[in-house]
Each structure stands twice: as structure tokens, then as C-alpha cells.
Amino acid sequence: LNNETIIAVDTETTGVDVYTDVIVGLSLTLPNADWHVYIPVDHVDCEQLSREYVLEGLAPVFNDESIGKVLHNAIFDIAMLRRHGFDLKGVAWDTMTAMHLLNENESDRTLGGAGSFKLKDLAPKYLKTPADTFDALFGRNAQFKEVPLDIALVYAAKDTELTWKMYEFQRYHMSKIPTIFDYYQTVEVPLLYVIVALEANGYILDLDFAKEYGEKLHKRAEELRKELVAELTPFHEGDEPINLNSTHQMRPALSKAIGKDLPNMDAKKTLKPLKDDYDIIAKLLEYKNIVKLSGTYIDTLPTKQNPTTERWHSRFNPMGTVTGRFSSGKDEEDKTQQGFNVQNQPPEARPMFGPPPGKLLVGADFKAQEIRCVAHLSGEPVLINAFLEERDPYATMASNFYKRPYEEVYKNADGSDTKERKKMKVAWLATLYGMSDYSLSYMLGVGKKEATEFKEELFGSMPKLSAWLKENEEFVRKNGYVWADLNARKRRLPDAKLPRKNIPYGKWNDPKYDDARKHNSRINRALRQATNARVQGSSSIQTKVTMIKAHEYCANKQGWALWSTVHDELIFEVPEDFTREEAQDIRDIMLNSYRWGDVVPNGTDIEVMRKWGEGVPVEEWFKNKEAV
């Protein structure tokens, strides 16, 4: 090992719970020596060295940052080593995250993907090497420590050899795109350590709150169920009571109840845009949401406490979406069922999460992150001026579009949004998130033609933005991908390059042209996704760079930790006696870690919480504290 400058490492364990399971062996690939080694430390019925002895013997190499380490899913192995009181410094490459940058569509077989980002799927495709899964070789419930050592050697050492070969393959191809190569090494690799620490910190839950909240949800769900059944029964044609979970029964009954034919029961695309206009739809959406939540907080969440740490731990996937945004939940191979999605907790449930005694939570968001990103990428003066003048971007667009004073289109007297600002937000989000004009028409409550005209007029009032949107479509149509900010990562949309299939005039609904219609819809969807991909990809980069700076800051502060990342917000766990100067440090991290060029300023709002979701603005916190 002392003659190697970079090695491949893997751990074999009793399971995937990095806080409770244990290492049963380690495999290493030493490229210079051409050795592929498996060291058992907790196998059954064999002569072996103890885990402690082996880890202590490897510690000088594992702690030497000048010796690079290559892994597949490094977050897991780093966490497993830390679970035993050791560390793994100098990680240089993670073949799983690197593959996301080389082909984020790997999970999609229809686009030629391997089917997943697992080494066992990638190796046959890229290295032309067959690779069997553990379950296929040893059985679903087998323990690796029971595998005979001659077989364990071949299986485990082959993993690190494949990881090494995958690293060589990936490095060769990524080095041809220097901007991605640099981004990967300076952002995605350091981020691995941030995630390990973030996940290990975990959460403390107020189980009494959870129980009380769950019971309240259950009671409210029953109230809504009775009201919905009573209101929909007159429009239900069946003899049996209407089933609120039956699309077959609900669509015709709900369509009659609101006097408008619903094409489907899709909550996001069809029902949600109508909830402000129809009370019964608002009730139905609330009912469905509550039913889903009530079981979680009464039955499920309390069981997810880790038996070793006595905390709740969520997984954070830095490549949770094809655009590089985080997702939260559980490891796909986790059979403990302890994982949960911390990013998806509704506002009413968040107060059950709190800091340890003597600590506070400090939340800092990226204010209007995605619109600032668009202002930077497009150079649109209307948006840039809004941020320079610290004005609301939607109201600014409404003022520009309707030629009315900003104050008139910003807020109503009661503090609610004006209809003009609402329309700006709807059209903006529909465009940004790649919705069709049909979806926009539903959201606006108008016909498709009117929705299309409104959108064209709106973006026509901002020429630079309009030109940028068209450029995105033209670029993806020509190249099959778009770039994130600074060409740090690509979003590949190969469907955009497909030639269109001809559908004769008047034959759009003819079943004979179903395949052609679906084919053309794939092209349209790819074209619409181009802008969203650029904005989300760029925003994810800003979030990740800022997380690294925040983690570095916390590491140098006694009692500080990065507590969570939730969409466009970072949450810090800090001592109760944190100061104004430290609050300003957080503000500086949010505003200056990753800037949108030299023109568009970042914005952030900071609040202090004793319970998640129950915060006060940071200035108000210090005033109240000083008053006491």
C-alpha cells in the first residue's frame, strides 16, 4: 500500500444500516502491484485477524490524503468506517456519482441506460464484464460472513477491480470535458463527506407531538370523508356508496359536481390548479393528503428510530434527480425500513423535529433561487432590475406586463397576492417546469388558445428572456443536451433530436396514429424540459457549493452542525448562545459561496427556531433576547 498513489476500496458488511451493522471484511485493489485483496475480519468458521487490528493497521493509509481512494457509493463505506471509529480520507473518485455526470439517464433503459447506477449493471455495459448480484449468487437472505473465503475473495476483490476499471474508464471520458471534470473533483467529491456528516447527525423527534398530530389528522380525515360523500352522492350513479379512492367513480361524479369535464384525476396537473375555484376539489385534495399523512405519523415514523443512535436518520442522495438536485429518503437496498423523506415533511408536521437540548435551529434559504438563476443566464433586464432594487420578481413582471404601478399588482389590502401576480407566477412556473400549454390552460382556468397567447405576450414583453427561451429549445434540438451554469454539468435530452412523425391534418385523434402522437409528444416534452434542466441544474450547483462552505464553517465551530437541506434552504444546528456575528457569517455563506456572475445578487432570509417550522426572523430573535 505504501507504494501506491491511489487505490480502490470496498467494505463487506452485515447490512446497510451504517449505524448498527458491522464490517465483516475489506477489499482493496492496488494498481501498481496488481493485487486484488480481500481481508476477512468477522467471517464464520475461519482463521482471520480481528476487525480492530486490521482497521488500525490500515489507518495510516486510510488517513493519508495523499493516497487517493476510489469507491462505488463512497458515502456508505465512509460511514461504515466511521461507525467503527475510523475514517477514510482522500476519496478521489466515486464511480456511482461520476456516472451521473457522464450519463444521468442510466436508469432509463428506453434511452439506452444500463437500468441503474449499480456497479453490477454498469460493468457489463461499459467494461463488457459480466457481474452477478449478491442475491443471485448467494440468495436473498444470505450473510456475506457465511460465504467461504475462497469464494468471498473472488466476489469482493472483483468488486474493487471493477470499481478501479470503471474509474479508469470514467476518468478518461470525463477528462475530455474539462469543465465537468473540474466541477466533479471540486464539488461532487468533497460533497460526499458533507453528506456523511449530515446523515450521521440525524434528528430528534417529539413522539408525543407525532401521536397527537396523527390523531388530529385522522379525525380531520373522517370529517372530510363524510362531507365529500354527502356532497358527491347526488352526482354518483351507482347504488353502493361512492368510493373516494375509485377514479372510475370519482371522475364523473366530480365533473358533474363542478360542472366541468375533468380529463383525469391527476392531483398535480388537473385538480390542484382548480382548488381555489372549487371548494369540493380543495376538500378532496386535503382529504387525500391527510389520509396519506395520518398513518405515517401514528404508525410508521415512530418505528424508524435507529436502535444504535436513538435518532432518526434520513438518506440524502446528491444525485436525486436527473438535474443533480438532492432527494431524501432511504437507501434502495435498505431492508430495515428506517429511512424516511425529511424533505417531504408538511409544514404542520415539522414542529415534531427539534434540536438537542441547549441547541437551536437556524434556517437560511436561497431567496428566489431559480428566478435569480434565470435572470443571470438570460440577462433579462426586467428580472435583473427587480433583484437590484430588491423587489418581488413576479410583481415586477406583472407591473411591466400590465403597465401598472408595482404597488397595485404586488399585494391586496389583506396581504394576499393580486390576481395579476398570481397569473405571472402560474405562467412562469409552467414555463420553468416544462408544462404544456394544455396544463397552463387548466392552471389559468382558460382555453388552450388563450393560455398560449397569454404566455407569448408575457414573454414577448421581456425580449431577452424570450430569446433565451428560444435559444434553449434550438440548442437542445440541435445537440440533444443543455448546459448548466459554467458548463459544469450537462442534462441530456436525446429525444429532442428525433425527427417528427407526420400526422395528416384532422387525424390527430385517429388511433392509427397513436404511436406517432406519442413519439412527437416525447420530442415536445424534451424541448420543454430544456429550460427547466438548465435552471434546476445550475441551482443544484449553487446549493452544493454552499453546503460545502457551510460544512467547513461548522467543522470549525464547537457544537455546530449542518442539520438539513430542504429544497432551497440550509438548516444549521447551533448552540443557544450563537451571536449576531455568527448569524452574519451564515448570511455571508448563503450570499457569497456561489454568485450568479457579477450582476445578479443573491438573497437570503434567516430565521431562528426552537422547533423546525416555528421560527422568527433572526433580527427579531436577537431583539427579543436582548429585551429579556
Side-chain angles (χ1 to χ4, degrees):
L1 280 170
N2 289 327
N3 295 325
E4 303 289 337
T5 56
I6 186 167
I7 60 174
V9 182
D10 190 26
T11 59
E12 298 296 343
T13 64
T14 54
V16 296
D17 183 340
V18 296
Y19 313 109
T20 300
D21 284 307
V22 297
I23 294 172
V24 300
L26 299 99
S27 53
L28 306 166
T29 281
L30 285 61
N32 288 340
D34 194 22
W35 280 13
H36 311 284
V37 180
Y38 181 62
I39 310 170
V41 297
D42 192 14
H43 273 249
V44 175
D45 298 330
C46 72
E47 187 178 355
Q48 62 196 321
L49 300 168
S50 73
R51 182 188 300 113
E52 189 78 10
Y53 180 83
V54 169
L55 290 176
E56 283 181 359
L58 291 172
V61 172
F62 281 7
N63 288 324
D64 188 343
E65 294 194 16
S66 69
I67 299 175
K69 284 83 179 180
V70 175
L71 301 96
H72 189 84
N73 191 10
I75 292 171
F76 175 81
D77 297 286
I78 297 168
M80 281 303 305
L81 286 162
R82 289 186 179 180
R83 180 256 184 284
H84 292 290
F86 293 86
D87 208 344
L88 187 67
K89 297 176 181 176
V91 169
W93 203 272
D94 179 351
T95 51
M96 188 170 76
T97 55
M99 187 51 74
H100 279 269
L101 288 181
L102 286 166
N103 181 21
E104 71 280 4
N105 296 318
E106 210 62 71
S107 295
D108 192 341
R109 292 187 189 276
T110 65
L111 295 177
S116 82
F117 290 89
K118 295 178 182 178
L119 188 60
K120 300 294 186 288
D121 288 325
L122 299 176
K125 178 180 176 181
Y126 291 109
L127 305 179
K128 309 304 179 191
T129 303
D132 294 308
T133 65
F134 182 88
D135 288 353
L137 287 172
F138 307 115
R140 182 171 289 275
N141 297 315
Q143 282 281 329
F144 197 74
K145 66 180 182 179
E146 297 168 353
V147 175
L149 286 191
D150 55 346
I151 298 171
L153 166 64
V154 175
Y155 177 85
K158 182 180 180 183
D159 260 7
T160 48
E161 184 195 23
L162 288 177
T163 300
W164 176 258
K165 288 181 176 177
M166 184 63 66
Y167 157 70
E168 291 183 307
F169 171 85
Q170 291 176 341
R171 187 182 176 95
Y172 170 77
H173 285 282
M174 197 184 287
S175 63
K176 293 180 179 179
I177 321 170
T179 51
I180 295 180
F181 188 74
D182 180 65
Y183 165 74
Y184 177 70
Q185 292 191 301
T186 57
V187 178
E188 293 292 351
V189 172
L191 187 69
L192 299 170
Y193 289 101
V194 179
I195 297 167
V196 173
L198 176 61
E199 291 179 351
N201 191 49
Y203 302 99
I204 296 172
L205 266 64
D206 182 342
L207 292 181
D208 291 335
F209 180 99
K211 184 181 178 187
E212 186 182 320
Y213 176 59
E215 288 170 351
K216 190 163 67 174
L217 287 173
H218 185 74
K219 184 180 176 184
R220 176 61 178 155
E222 186 56 23
E223 288 173 1
L224 287 167
R225 187 190 69 77
K226 289 176 180 176
E227 289 176 20
L228 285 163
V229 168
E231 290 179 41
L232 288 169
T233 295
F235 305 100
H236 175 54
E237 294 181 358
D239 295 328
E240 75 286 353
I242 187 167
N243 180 357
L244 300 184
N245 297 316
S246 168
T247 301
H248 178 70
Q249 293 181 22
M250 285 293 290
R251 192 174 72 82
L254 195 58
S255 294
K256 290 174 188 172
I258 67 172
K260 183 173 184 173
D261 187 41
L262 296 170
N264 53 57
M265 292 293 288
D266 186 291
K268 191 174 181 181
K269 291 183 178 177
T270 303
L271 299 182
K272 200 171 179 183
L274 299 173
K275 73 182 180 71
D276 291 336
D277 299 322
Y278 301 98
D279 184 53
I280 192 168
I281 289 181
K283 280 184 186 177
L284 178 63
L285 289 171
E286 185 186 357
Y287 170 76
K288 286 183 173 293
N289 188 45
I290 284 176
V291 167
K292 191 169 128 185
L293 290 174
S294 59
T296 299
Y297 297 107
I298 294 174
D299 306 319
T300 311
L301 201 53
T303 68
K304 294 180 181 291
Q305 184 181 33
N306 188 279
T308 302
T309 66
E310 297 185 346
R311 289 198 175 197
W312 281 256
H313 299 272
S314 187
R315 292 297 306 273
F316 286 88
N317 181 357
M319 301 291 189
T321 70
V322 286
T323 56
R325 296 184 74 174
F326 271 91
S327 68
S328 165
K330 70 182 186 70
D331 188 291
E332 62 181 21
E333 297 179 20
D334 185 3
K335 299 178 178 67
T336 66
Q337 299 302 313
Q338 286 178 1
F340 70 99
N341 187 343
V342 72
Q343 293 183 321
N344 206 28
Q345 299 301 310
E348 318 86 68
R350 290 181 176 184
M352 82 173 68
F353 294 80
K359 299 283 186 72
L360 300 167
L361 299 179
V362 177
D365 68 357
F366 295 101
K367 200 172 176 182
Q369 182 185 37
E370 292 186 341
I371 306 184
R372 289 175 195 270
C373 174
V374 171
H376 161 62
L377 294 175
S378 68
E380 173 52 56
V382 172
L383 296 177
I384 292 172
N385 290 336
F387 294 121
L388 290 175
E389 295 167 9
E390 297 187 358
R391 290 191 163 203
D392 176 79
Y394 300 117
T396 301
M397 285 191 285
S399 173
N400 178 68
F401 181 70
Y402 292 108
K403 302 291 187 282
R404 289 174 52 195
Y406 172 86
E407 289 71 23
E408 284 184 19
V409 294
Y410 179 34
K411 297 282 184 183
N412 293 315
D414 62 358
S416 62
D417 286 343
T418 63
K419 64 181 182 182
E420 292 85 1
R421 185 182 183 275
K422 269 187 188 174
K423 286 181 80 171
M424 292 299 114
K425 197 167 186 178
V426 166
W428 177 265
L429 294 176
T431 301
L432 200 59
Y433 287 96
M435 294 182 189
S436 68
D437 287 0
Y438 286 104
S439 298
L440 176 60
S441 68
Y442 268 104
M443 292 175 77
L444 291 172
V446 299
K448 176 185 175 290
K449 184 182 177 186
E450 190 178 340
T452 302
E453 288 174 353
F454 171 70
K455 188 173 80 169
E456 288 175 353
E457 278 185 51
L458 170 61
F459 291 108
S461 70
M462 294 178 279
K464 273 210 157 185
L465 177 60
S466 185
W468 178 72
L469 293 170
K470 287 186 175 65
E471 284 168 15
N472 292 338
E473 276 199 18
E474 289 166 5
F475 188 93
V476 77
R477 187 183 283 115
K478 178 182 177 183
N479 298 288
Y481 67 86
V482 290
W483 285 106
D485 191 33
L486 303 178
N487 290 6
R489 63 184 303 147
K490 285 182 178 181
R491 170 69 181 111
R492 297 156 186 88
L493 297 161
D495 285 349
K497 292 180 71 175
L498 295 172
R500 288 190 178 276
K501 292 189 176 180
N502 182 50
I503 301 175
Y505 182 77
K507 298 289 185 179
W508 177 255
N509 294 316
D510 189 333
K512 179 182 173 183
Y513 294 96
D514 272 355
D515 288 342
R517 193 165 59 249
K518 288 175 184 174
H519 174 87
N520 290 348
S521 292
R522 282 172 56 196
I523 298 170
N524 293 337
R525 186 165 57 250
L527 294 175
R528 291 196 307 270
Q529 287 176 327
T531 291
N532 172 253
R534 293 199 70 190
V535 176
Q536 282 204 358
S538 302
S539 298
S540 78
I541 293 169
Q542 182 181 56
T543 298
K544 289 175 177 180
V545 171
T546 307
M547 283 179 69
I548 292 169
K549 298 293 184 185
H551 174 72
E552 290 171 355
Y553 180 80
C554 291
N556 292 313
K557 303 283 289 184
Q558 183 70 35
W560 283 61
L562 195 55
W563 189 81
S564 193
T565 173
V566 183
H567 309 309
D568 61 354
E569 182 180 23
L570 300 189
I571 304 174
F572 299 75
E573 183 183 292
V574 306
E576 274 190 318
D577 61 355
F578 96 111
T579 64
R580 285 180 181 272
E581 290 74 24
E582 289 168 331
Q584 184 58 45
D585 289 342
I586 291 175
R587 186 178 300 279
D588 287 342
I589 288 168
M590 298 300 294
L591 297 181
N592 299 315
S593 295
Y594 189 98
R595 300 180 63 85
W596 298 121
D598 299 323
V599 179
V600 181
N602 284 319
T604 188
D605 288 323
I606 300 175
E607 62 176 12
V608 184
M609 302 168 275
R610 291 198 179 275
K611 291 183 176 180
W612 185 21
E614 294 183 352
V616 298
V618 67
E619 280 305 313
E620 187 179 328
W621 165 266
F622 283 115
K623 281 179 185 175
N624 292 340
K625 189 177 177 184
E626 287 160 5
V628 174

